[in-house]
Every structure is written in structure tokens, then in C-alpha cells.
Amino acid sequence: MTVVLVTGGAGYIGSHACKALASHGVTPVTYDSLIHGHREVVKWGPLEVGDVGDADLLAAVMRRWKPEAVMHFAGLIAVGESVREPAAYYRANLAASVTLLDVMRHAGVNTMVFSSSAAVYGAPERLPVAEDAPLAPTSPYGRSKLMVEQMLADHGAAYGLKWAALRYFNACGADSAGETGENHEPETHLIPRALMAAAGDIPYLDLFGTDYPTDDGTCVRDYVHVADLAEMHVAALAHLAAGRASGAFNLGTGHGWSNRQIIAAVERVTGAPVPLRLAGRRPGDPPVLVADPNRAEAELGASARHTDLDAIVESAWSWYRRHRR
Ligand code: UFG
């Protein structure tokens, strides 16, 4: 494979995927509206500025670059916002994906690696959660991701689309060389918020819920390093290019960290206390979300290599220190 179109390539996970693609000799062509993405992290291939919902522009970009596959990261990502503004989420995550698949079909591009989410499981009954667990998303965000997965399967059956839906657990960390990292506006995720509080850039971290049925009363999540996610996307592409089966894959480590354990790691790494405000539970948060990563390991040959929590937090801290606003 020589050229891959990367929608959302100027975003957090998309930019790391571009770096991984380039390291495997593939040219990533970033297609990004730059509404949430950042021009500065498009370093490994050309940038085309546009919206995935713009069929004409997308078709022109496909004609210009002739990609053999698409990695589709572009979309809205905030679960809480999706509850307040579902129309925006169905437009950006679902309708734009319909357009993208139409344009791909007309251009003869029949391979897609899609950014899905553990949000498709909702609050799982059994842990760790495997891909055949019930799909019961609890937010418009999660439902929009699940609908795209279903659409991919239908396109596979009818048009021969080869697809992989990668269900991320909690993406974290930053590129070890400091070339890209997390830069959301607004930032809502735990590790960057805790770093902001440790740095004194926000007065305190709201800790959402201390009465969950877990060892220390706080939620438990499966934190997977973004560089591992990026390599797993390349592995998924290779899997599809080799003619192996399309499907959904969990991308996680199989290990959970509680919110309090994350905060303790942030304090160790930064050497500063994280001032806390004990807030109530955040609506929609499942108590525990940990992946069964076996399918990705067995079928994609891909697993998380970054398992040391302090090293993960250190990579995020080192990026944050240099890019804090
Ligand atoms: N948390 C806090 N304070 C904060 C931010 C988060 O206590 O300021 C807690 C949350 O309540 C949760 C944990 O930290 O218990 C992790 O929260 P994040 O917002 O960092 O991540 P989520 O687990 O909510 O979200 C992730 C992905 C989403 C995906 C979701 C699926 O980022 O894309 O998992 O449940 F939809």
C-alpha cells in the first residue's frame, strides 16, 4: 500500500496514525476540516483541508491522491455534548460517514479502518468486555459509532467493502519523540485534566464519583497508549490487505486503572499535588470498562506495548509542558 487517506489526520489519534503509516512506508494524506484538528501536527504527508460531509471536495481529493484505503478518524468525540446536541453528532459521525462511503465506492476504494469506540458497549455486564458482548450504547455518540459499524458491515455484504472497526478504550499518552500529542478544546479527559490541575492551569480536578462499586470507589478504565493505537491501525490495514476477515476489534490493554490510581500517577510524574474537588457521578459513566484484547492480538497480531502507567503519564506530561496555553 502506498497512499492512505486519513480523515481527521490532524487530530490526536489520527496524527499518531499518520506517523505510524509513514514509518511503514505509506504516505498518509490528511483530510481534515481543522475545526478541531491542528495544522502543526500534519507532518508526515500532505494536508487537504475539508469536511468529510463535502462529497465534491472529497471526490476531488480521492482523484488527486488515489488512496488505496481510508482511515476514518474525523468526528465529534464528547459523550456529554452528544447528549445535548445529538443532531451535530449524527451529522458529523453518521451522515458524513455515509458520504465518505459513497465517495469511496464511486472512486473504487474498498478498504476502511474506522475509529470506533468502547462506547458501543454502554455499561457492560461482563468484564473484561469482548467483541461479542451486547452492544448497548448509552449516548448519541456511542450510537453514532455503532450505526457506522453496522453500515460498514452492510457495505461489506453488498459491495465487498473490507473494513475494520477499531473500538478504542481510553486513548492516552503522546508520541515519544514529542512530535504530536493530545490537544482537545475543550479538554474533558482525565489524564490531561489531572495534568492541568497539577500544573496549576486549572484550580482543581473534579473527581466524578467516589462511591462506585470498585476497590477505591472510583471508576476503572483501560488506558491504551496512542502510539500503540496507531500501530494497531497499521496492523488492521495489513490484515485487510491480506484478504483476511473484516470485523470489529477491541483496542485496549486488558488492564484497568482507577481514577485515583491515575491521579496518584500524575502526582508522581509531575511531583505536584493534584487538587481535587469531589464531584458527584458524571451521568452515563460505567463503573468499570476494561477490554478483552484477545481478538486483536490473535487476528491482527497487535497488542499494547506501553503498559507502564507512569511512563504513559510521563509522555502526556512532556507534551503538555511544551504545549500548554
Ligand atoms: N473523570 C473525572 N474528572 C474529569 C474527567 C474525567 O473524574 O475531569 C473521570 C470520568 O468520570 C471517568 C474517567 O475519569 O470515570 C475517565 O473519563 P474520560 O473522560 O477521560 O474518559 P471516558 O472513559 O469517559 O471516555 C472514553 C473515551 C470516549 C468513549 C468512552 C466510552 O474518551 O470516547 O470512553 O465510555 F466514548
Side-chain angles (χ1 to χ4, degrees), residues 77 79 117-119 141 170 188-190 193 205-208 219 221 223 259 282 285 289:
I77 62 160
V79 175
S117 169
Y141 167 77
N170 289 59
T188 61
H189 294 108
L190 179 62
R193 296 283 303 171
L205 172 76
D206 269 326
L207 177 56
F208 297 132
C219 289
R221 293 287 181 273
Y223 289 86
N259 294 348
R282 191 172 67 174
D285 272 344
L289 201 48

Side-chain angles (χ1 to χ4, degrees), residues 128-217:
V129 58
E131 289 84 351
D132 57 3
L135 300 172
T138 53
S139 68
Y141 167 77
R143 281 189 279 277
S144 72
K145 291 291 180 184
L146 178 56
M147 287 174 193
V148 175
E149 286 197 8
Q150 291 166 330
M151 196 163 68
L152 292 173
D154 289 340
H155 281 240
Y159 311 124
L161 178 77
K162 300 188 229 176
W163 60 278
L166 304 183
R167 297 175 178 163
Y168 314 150
F169 283 67
N170 289 59
C172 61
D175 174 47
S176 58
E179 293 187 284
T180 183
E182 190 164 13
N183 192 356
H184 294 123
E185 181 55 48
E187 185 53 74
T188 61
H189 294 108
L190 179 62
I191 292 177
R193 296 283 303 171
L195 292 173
M196 290 159 82
D201 293 340
I202 54 175
Y204 49 79
L205 172 76
D206 269 326
L207 177 56
F208 297 132
T210 52
D211 60 349
Y212 283 99
T214 58
D215 286 349
D216 66 15

Side-chain angles (χ1 to χ4, degrees), residues 298-316:
E299 295 187 30
L300 306 181
S303 58
R305 291 187 303 111
H306 297 73
T307 48
D308 182 275
L309 179 60
D310 286 21
I312 289 174
V313 171
E314 175 60 46
S315 74

